[in-house]
Amino acid sequence: MIEKGGLHTVGDVKALVLYILRYAGKPLNRENLTEIVLNDGLVDFDFTQALQGLLEDGLVDITSPDDPTDYVLTELGRQTEELYETNLPFNVKKKNLAAMMSVLAQIKRESNTHTKIEKVSNGFLVSCTLTEQDGSILLQYTVLVPDELQAHMITDQFCKQPTEKYKGIMSLLIDESLFE
């Protein structure tokens, strides 16, 4: 159901995709765009139709023909977005900017976290690494778990909350009561 002040046509969805790509300031893949746009209660068919139309009209392009997963705004797309941005309802812009910020934060977390699962004779070795923006290692650990399910649970949790895992490990390693 479209809420008051929502999007009503594929043209509205096109304007929203242009708006998101402009304010993201970086290429977004289809999964990221879908997560942001469908947050507004749109139907995937409308989004797919809008994205295809933007590509065909030259308003959006893919970053590499070899890997057609990331979408960017073309110069024509930027100019068009500037013309139509005022047509997007405020509540739609606000909701989608919030969703975009959440997705961008997730992308940043994922770029700073690295995990690896390796099968060994007595279980699975799970390696988790958290790096700074410059690539220096902030936290790195490897644990042995008995099964693959636990290995995936550890990597999933690490990737979802790397900062919290870092804080938790540091609090275990540093007994603050020594400083009282």
Side-chain angles (χ1 to χ4, degrees):
M1 176 171 174
I2 298 171
E3 65 182 80
K4 185 176 180 178
L7 305 178
H8 303 283
T9 67
V10 172
D12 292 341
V13 179
K14 287 180 179 181
L16 177 60
V17 172
L18 293 174
Y19 179 79
I20 290 167
L21 286 173
R22 177 175 179 210
Y23 285 96
K26 64 184 293 167
L28 293 174
N29 65 34
R30 182 180 172 83
E31 181 182 329
N32 300 145
L33 280 170
T34 302
E35 186 175 339
I36 296 166
V37 171
L38 296 187
N39 159 65
D40 201 32
L42 297 174
V43 178
D44 188 45
F45 177 77
D46 292 337
F47 168 68
T48 300
Q49 193 176 2
L51 187 57
Q52 186 61 39
L54 290 169
L55 283 164
E56 290 170 1
D57 294 341
L59 302 172
V60 170
D61 204 358
I62 54 175
T63 55
S64 167
D66 299 328
D67 183 21
T69 57
D70 287 344
Y71 298 92
V72 292
L73 202 57
T74 63
E75 181 57 29
L76 179 60
R78 188 190 60 73
Q79 292 169 0
T80 304
E81 190 283 328
E82 287 175 356
L83 292 172
Y84 288 97
E85 178 181 339
T86 56
N87 293 350
L88 285 173
F90 175 76
N91 64 321
V92 170
K93 289 192 267 189
K94 181 179 174 185
K95 184 188 279 188
N96 282 277
L97 279 178
M100 181 186 68
M101 297 306 287
S102 175
V103 166
L104 291 174
Q106 178 66 29
I107 291 169
K108 183 178 179 184
R109 277 193 304 274
E110 289 172 359
S111 71
N112 292 344
T113 59
H114 310 280
T115 60
K116 178 181 165 190
I117 298 173
E118 179 183 351
K119 175 132 179 63
V120 293
S121 62
N122 55 345
F124 291 83
L125 284 176
V126 181
S127 299
C128 299
T129 305
L130 177 63
T131 59
E132 295 279 9
Q133 290 294 73
D134 65 4
S136 60
I137 295 174
L138 187 60
L139 171 70
Q140 185 172 46
Y141 64 87
T142 301
V143 295
L144 176 67
V145 296
D147 60 61
E148 191 173 9
L149 177 62
Q150 286 182 19
H152 285 287
M153 288 172 64
I154 290 170
T155 59
D156 290 348
Q157 285 299 308
F158 181 76
C159 290
K160 285 180 185 173
Q161 298 180 319
T163 304
E164 288 75 11
K165 301 304 179 210
Y166 173 79
K167 288 177 185 176
I169 289 171
M170 292 305 288
S171 70
L172 289 172
L173 296 173
I174 300 171
D175 184 1
E176 293 182 11
S177 66
L178 297 174
F179 301 105
E180 294 176 358

